[in-house]
Every structure is written in C-alpha cells, then in structure tokens.
Amino acid sequence: RSSRFLVYSPYDASYTGQDLVQFNVPADQSSAEKMYYANLLLGVASGSPQDNPVRIKLEHAMTAMAVSVDNRTGLEIRSFKASGFMTSGILDFVSGTIRANGDKEIITPLKSPAGDSYTFLYIPQDVTPLFEITLASGKTMAFTYDLYCHEYPGQIIKMSLQIDEDTPEANILQLSGVSLAQWATTAVPVYGVEAEYTNLAGLKDVEYDETGFFAAYLNKSLDRQSVV
C-alpha cells in the first residue's frame, strides 16, 4: 500500500498535520544557526517504505538574497541592514507554497568570513529592498531599487554594490545588475519504518560552505512518527 509522506525543515514539535500554519522568518540571521530557522524546505512523496526507501526531494520555499559590497572607503563596515520585507506568512502544506503577510521588519544578514558579502533568506514576495550600510565613521548609506523584486521561491538573487568616500547617503539603483540562480535541492533517503506513515522530521545538522550558505541534511535515524 502506498502512503503519502511529508518532510519539512525546520522541525516544529507543535505541528500535528494541519494544512495551513503560520511560519515566521527570524529577522536576525547574523549566524548560520539563526539562518537555519529561516531556511524552510518542503518535500512530499508517495511510496511503500516497507518495500524500499522513499526518496523525497526537498525544495527551498524561501528566496535567498546575496549582496556583494565592493568597499573602497578604506573604512570597516560596522553594520548592514535590509528592510522592506514581511517576515511572516501562511504556509500551505497541500500546495507546498507560502504567502507573505504581516508587518515589515529590518533583517540582519549573515556576513561572509571575508566581510565582503551579506546573505539572508526571506519569504517570496514583491518587494523594493532597502539596504543600509553604516561605516566605522558613523556615516550611513542607503540603497534602494527603482523596481520590485518579484516572487522567486527557490532562487538566489545576487546583487552588487560599490561604495567609496564620495558615495552619497541616499542612492537609487537599477535592477540591471541583478542576477538569478536556481538554489540547489537535495534528495533525501527516508528509510522504511514499521508504521504505515513516516515521521515529520526536521533537519538535524548544519554545515557551512565556502559561499556563506549552509548545507543541511536529514539523519538516517528518524525520531518522530506522525500521520500526515
């Protein structure tokens, strides 16, 4: 007999199988551990785990934004903030989609080890992002775009900024320098269990990669069983 399986991350022990749930993206994503809780992945498949492992492809439900900064000021960047993003939404487990709603918040991105790029995740939405860069001198420079960034679930939006000592405090940018790339997905082996339905499991481990993103994966030993 074939069963339907749902795998999602991050794991939420309070979830009991309802179709619609509220999902909140943390505004503070300044570390890999904090960003982990913004990285919503969903996977649905059908199969018979008593016969063979069921393979589930996890899809990234969020959009990633990576901003590279060519800093020619000679000064340290003390802070980088991104605003204009709604950080909560309604997650539909049936369709595998999420719709942003609620208030807009200021997001603190993850800074790369080299200090020249900033990455954060957000719920797909039409948005005009605003970036604020504060230098060690106290000067703050704001950058906004003249058009919306549209909904791009599972995509990485890459942007580039250049600043120097003459950069004004308010700047309007063109979207011509923006590029899109498909975010990689992972096929996860879910091993057969005695129950007809497998567990609702969260990703257990977090690893860094050299681009400042992280790769996450499921343990083969799944620890919770629930009907989906």
Side-chain angles (χ1 to χ4, degrees), residues 55-116:
R55 297 195 66 83
I56 300 178
K57 185 179 183 181
L58 295 177
E59 301 283 356
H60 288 277
M62 297 291 100
T63 300
M65 187 169 286
V67 183
S68 298
V69 180
D70 182 4
N71 182 8
R72 302 185 180 185
T73 65
L75 299 173
E76 177 188 2
I77 295 177
R78 287 288 174 85
S79 71
F80 184 106
K81 304 290 185 182
S83 59
F85 300 87
M86 290 181 285
T87 56
S88 63
I90 300 298
L91 173 59
D92 186 336
F93 276 112
V94 176
S95 65
T97 60
I98 184 169
R99 176 64 59 183
N101 63 14
D103 297 331
K104 297 179 179 180
E105 295 193 41
I106 298 174
I107 296 176
T108 302
L110 176 67
K111 183 177 181 180
S112 68
D116 58 358

Side-chain angles (χ1 to χ4, degrees), residues 13 15 18 20 36 38 55-56 75 81 102 110 123 137 139 142 151 162 180-181 195 209 214 221 226:
Y15 176 63
Q18 56 269 45
L20 300 176
Y36 164 79
R55 297 195 66 83
I56 300 178
L75 299 173
K81 304 290 185 182
L110 176 67
I123 298 170
S137 63
K139 179 180 179 179
E151 295 187 29
Q162 179 179 305
L180 285 172
D209 70 15
F214 57 87
S221 176
S226 181

Side-chain angles (χ1 to χ4, degrees), residues 8-65:
Y8 70 96
S9 169
Y11 176 63
D12 183 356
S14 67
Y15 176 63
T16 57
Q18 56 269 45
D19 291 340
L20 300 176
V21 297
Q22 183 79 22
F23 182 81
N24 300 310
V25 172
D28 183 358
Q29 300 180 30
S30 58
S31 69
E33 181 180 2
K34 293 175 179 177
M35 184 184 281
Y36 164 79
Y37 292 100
N39 187 23
L40 177 64
L41 297 101
L42 298 172
V44 178
S46 297
S48 300
Q50 293 85 355
D51 301 326
N52 296 292
V54 177
R55 297 195 66 83
I56 300 178
K57 185 179 183 181
L58 295 177
E59 301 283 356
H60 288 277
M62 297 291 100
T63 300
M65 187 169 286

